[in-house]
Amino acid sequence: MFKIGVDLGGTKIESVLLDDDLGVLKRKRVPTPYNDYSQILNSISSLVLEMSENIPNFSLGICTPGSISKQTGLIKNSNTQCLIGKPLKDDLETQIGKKISMENDANCFAMAEATLGVARDYSVVLGIILGTGIGGGIVIDKKLHSGRTNIAGEWGHHTLHRDGNLCYCGKTGCVETYISGPSLENQWKKLTGRSQCLTEILSDNDIGKRWKDDFLENFGFGLANVIDILDPDVIVLGGGLSNIDFLYVEGRKSVYDKVFSDLVDTPILKNSLGDSAGVFGACML
Ligand SMILES: [Zn+2]
């Protein structure tokens, strides 16, 4: 069956049409209407209409920037503010006149890499996003494991330091408040007094030892905790921070040192689909 995927991002909406062999037939992106819910619905609907021209039968998946409450069906935790509290899935199904599958960007990322990307030959896949926020998704034998209440894989809000940094989620010490891009920049500022973006910090030949050591320790504990519970066959990194090479060498060692096992060889790999993971993951839902 043909598959249509839509990736609703903060700045762009991208859509793709795949054939039976998962080949790309059509692809298009448009800017996301700024904070206007009904215009966002219209943009998605017209993209789907354009993709499905002369295609009688297709599946439709949508990747959203927030998660969908299993209890209410409403969008929560989205950085596209106008979506929060909206029944996006219901409204789109009504407007398009078709059943759709909808998942957050971390779950779509994991699906994409587990089916079409670097983790396609592995059974239990943990896909994690390291960027402005920290997310994660679990795919088992090409099927998304979203969990009883839709929060499986959300390791970004595991508590790393009980009395640590305050998180927007209301807790303190979440992984996200230590190893997301903005948190790492804050930490750098605290240590050096300098306001620099992550790219500048990393291109500094003399990256602060304390800053890097803390980063590696927090990355190590964060992922070791997940390995102890899930013991995945592979971990795939996505998001802006997945471009940091030392995470695959010193970062991996830091993780391995903290896992509760005498044998740890979990591959920690860089994604292979880049920014396209959302739209392909949406197709594979
Ligand atoms: Zn949190």
Side-chain angles (χ1 to χ4, degrees):
M1 182 153 61
F2 290 92
K3 297 176 191 299
I4 293 177
V6 177
D7 181 14
L8 169 56
T11 55
K12 55 148 180 84
I13 305 174
E14 181 167 19
S15 59
V16 72
L17 168 69
L18 303 184
D19 63 17
D20 279 344
D21 302 320
L22 306 177
V24 177
L25 297 179
K26 281 188 203 171
R27 191 166 183 172
K28 186 174 179 182
R29 56 170 64 180
V30 296
T32 306
Y34 182 70
N35 226 22
D36 184 334
Y37 183 65
S38 61
Q39 283 304 321
I40 289 177
L41 292 180
N42 292 340
S43 294
I44 295 175
S45 306
S46 55
L47 276 173
V48 171
L49 201 63
E50 197 176 325
M51 292 292 127
S52 61
E53 210 183 328
N54 301 323
I55 309 268
N57 212 355
F58 60 92
S59 66
L60 176 58
I62 305 216
C63 176
T64 69
S67 50
I68 304 138
S69 164
K70 208 152 192 166
Q71 212 173 355
T72 62
L74 307 179
I75 298 277
K76 54 180 187 177
N77 304 340
S78 172
N79 47 16
T80 303
Q81 300 281 335
C82 70
L83 297 177
I84 294 175
K86 292 290 198 311
L88 180 63
K89 183 167 182 278
D90 287 351
D91 285 346
L92 279 173
E93 286 182 340
T94 306
Q95 191 157 335
I96 297 170
K98 185 173 178 63
K99 270 265 174 228
I100 57 184
S101 306
M102 186 177 280
E103 285 293 342
N104 71 31
D105 42 7
N107 284 345
C108 289
F109 166 75
M111 267 310 272
E113 292 295 337
T115 53
L116 304 167
V118 70
R120 63 187 174 278
D121 295 327
Y122 295 87
S123 168
V124 179
V125 178
L126 172 68
I128 62 174
I129 304 254
L130 297 165
T132 313
I134 305 273
I138 298 166
V139 176
I140 301 172
D141 295 332
K142 317 285 182 210
K143 286 211 167 60
L144 189 67
H145 173 76
S146 51
R148 181 177 167 90
T149 60
N150 251 7
I151 56 141
E154 292 299 346
W155 71 299
H157 297 272
H158 280 183
T159 304
L160 264 188
H161 302 281
R162 190 175 158 207
D163 297 313
N165 300 332
L166 190 64
C167 183
Y168 77 86
C169 76
K171 298 195 298 169
T172 52
C174 294
V175 173
E176 181 163 310
T177 68
Y178 290 89
I179 60 170
S180 67
S183 318
L184 287 162
E185 289 165 359
N186 282 342
Q187 181 62 15
W188 177 259
K189 193 175 176 194
K190 261 191 225 159
L191 289 170
T192 65
R194 299 204 298 270
S195 290
Q196 286 178 286
C197 73
L198 201 58
T199 322
E200 289 167 339
I201 299 169
L202 291 164
S203 62
D204 193 328
N205 281 330
D206 194 26
I207 305 176
K209 183 170 173 1
R210 169 81 195 281
W211 180 85
K212 188 173 167 183
D213 285 351
D214 285 350
F215 181 10
L216 290 171
E217 278 296 285
N218 288 322
F219 177 78
F221 276 116
L223 277 185
N225 287 342
V226 184
I227 292 178
D228 281 344
I229 293 168
L230 183 66
D231 198 4
D233 294 314
V234 65
I235 297 174
V236 188
L237 310 192
L241 278 67
S242 66
N243 294 316
I244 301 176
D245 291 334
F246 66 66
L247 289 182
Y248 302 93
V249 188
E250 294 150 277
R252 185 181 62 183
K253 180 176 183 312
S254 175
V255 174
Y256 285 9
D257 285 347
K258 298 168 182 63
V259 172
F260 175 65
S261 175
D262 54 348
L263 169 71
V264 201
D265 61 359
T266 319
I268 298 180
L269 306 177
K270 189 172 174 174
N271 66 82
S272 61
L273 298 169
D275 285 347
S276 302
V279 76
F280 287 114
C283 286
M284 304 309 289
L285 291 174

